Amino acid sequence: MKTSEEPKVGQELYHIRLKKGDIPRFVFLPGDPARVKLMASTWKDAKFLSENREYITYSGSYRGTKLAATSTGIGSGAIAIAVEELLRVGADTFIRTGTTGALLKDLKVGSIIISTGAVRGDGATKAYAIPEYPAIANFEVILAAIEAAEKLQVDYTLGLTYSTDSFYLGQSRPGFRGYTNEYSRRILKELTDVKVVNMEMESSTLFVLSSIYGVRAGSIFAVIANRANGEFEHKKGITNMIKVANETMHILAQWDKLKENDNKRYFYPSLLK
Ligand code: URA
């Protein structure tokens, strides 16, 4: 079976059930299908496009910038499928809008994290690149997210993320009947010692695939758990994360226009003159 070929005109991709022309370049990637609808409720002209398994997609616009959001489900295998297929239908800028557990005890539940890169604790990227290959967020996305958070006065932290396919043992939570092992007991401390700021399940895959395919990606998280002090509140921070994410995409769209006008490939601050 050939899977890497370009979709034919009008052909829907197998999992996401979208075809070329259905979505704009700018795509948010929350894990949770319900968060796609929540994001779409903040846009103009929000429109349901497709639903299949964990993949649900809406499009719309924010301050004149055309956007879409596709849910990825949980973990590296699921997000790799979404990214592979969204690229084939024309996406070239991704922002994961996820929830996360913070590792630093002073990092507040309800605040947001902008990821600068991820430790590859996932499974899927083993099929894509050698273990030493980095999982880095795109610098334009990071910079635009900082600008958006500053502008909206949202409390944010910048830092490295750990991505794992395991919510329980892989994130130092006991399994069924308290099952644990040596790895699970030591991983939180090992990551904290090297200044990783949060844990989640999809960003390393998004970053590796985006580097390989030459597109932009970043992650903005709502902190719903603090693993150092035990706080957990599953809804806090999501509204602010969505506001910052929308604004980030809008800023990127503005910067893309500046780049185009000046015939530049990359954004740098003096382009704002
Ligand atoms: N998502 C995760 O993967 N871990 C958390 O602690 C919270 C959200």
Side-chain angles (χ1 to χ4, degrees), residues 10 74 76 81 87 98 100 106-107 113-114 122 129 132 186 189 197 216 225 240 245 251 257 260 271:
I74 296 176
S76 66
I81 289 171
L87 287 166
T100 193
D106 298 332
L107 216 153
I113 291 174
I114 298 166
D122 69 88
E132 294 82 5
R186 73 175 152 78
K189 179 175 178 336
V197 299
R216 294 184 296 200
N240 275 344
I251 291 167
K257 283 183 198 151
E260 210 177 304
L271 279 185

Side-chain angles (χ1 to χ4, degrees), residues 99-101 167 171 173 199-201 224-225 227 232:
T99 54
T100 193
F167 184 82
Q171 298 187 32
R173 294 184 173 98
M199 283 180 150
E200 57 85 69
M201 303 181 69
I224 61 162
R227 303 304 310 286
F232 182 84

